[in-house]
Amino acid sequence: LRWPTWLGIGVAVLIGLDLSDGTDLARAVAGMALIYLGAAALRRPSATWPVFGAVVVGIVAAEAIVGDRDATWVLLGLAVPLVAYALVSGARRSDRSLLAQAIAMLAFGAVAGVAVATNNDVGAYLVAVGLLGHAAWDAYHHWANKAVARSYAECCIVFDALLAAAVVIVTV
């Protein structure tokens, strides 16, 4: 196994061991889509890991300031200007990759927002579906070698799949 796979396993295990409610990971669904959008907006897959670091810092800061639940809303709020930029810029330059990431951010963001607003088992299962959907998104981008660094896509495939299983286990 390569280091991105080990990193995905390690972080998923650490988060999974502390998981008490599946909707807690709605912010992860929103955050991962934001990472893809940020890297695509910068037009540099090599920016993926720095964007990842910025999003993690944003999540930690939001949790400290507004609490775990509302951190998802902060991430979604931060995504709004980036989505607007991506839609306008991507359409103007015929940048299909940037448009795809903006649309994905809207879809994954909607899943995360509904999951937090629902705040029950349905929300947790939505998070699990969102994580599995993002794992498929990662797998495509790893295969196509587009939008994000392949190492990030590899790490995120493992992370998403393991956390989706943890959400289901915690919710059952």
Side-chain angles (χ1 to χ4, degrees), residues 36 101 136-148 150 153:
Y36 270 78
Q101 298 309 323
W137 193 246
D138 296 322
Y140 167 75
H141 286 87
H142 185 271
W143 171 80
N145 198 19
K146 291 184 177 183
V148 296
R150 289 190 84 206

Side-chain angles (χ1 to χ4, degrees), residues 1-2 4 9 32 35 39 45 49 63 80 109 136-137 144 155 157:
L1 297 177
R2 293 171 14 97
I9 292 169
M32 289 179 292
I35 292 164
W49 287 107
E63 289 173 353
V80 169
W137 193 246
C155 175
I157 292 167

Side-chain angles (χ1 to χ4, degrees), residues 48-141:
T48 306
W49 287 107
V51 171
F52 166 79
V55 169
V56 168
V57 168
I59 290 171
V60 171
E63 289 173 353
I65 295 167
V66 299
D68 290 351
R69 293 291 231 206
D70 292 330
T72 300
W73 296 114
V74 170
L75 286 174
L76 295 175
L78 292 172
V80 169
L82 199 50
V83 166
Y85 165 77
L87 291 173
V88 171
S89 179
R92 190 175 56 235
R93 292 189 304 235
S94 297
D95 188 342
R96 300 221 185 273
S97 176
L98 186 55
L99 286 172
Q101 298 309 323
I103 293 166
M105 181 70 228
L106 291 171
F108 288 116
V111 168
V114 170
V116 170
T118 304
N119 196 14
N120 59 23
D121 288 353
V122 171
Y125 288 121
L126 274 173
V127 168
V129 168
L131 288 166
L132 288 175
H134 199 270
W137 193 246
D138 296 322
Y140 167 75
H141 286 87

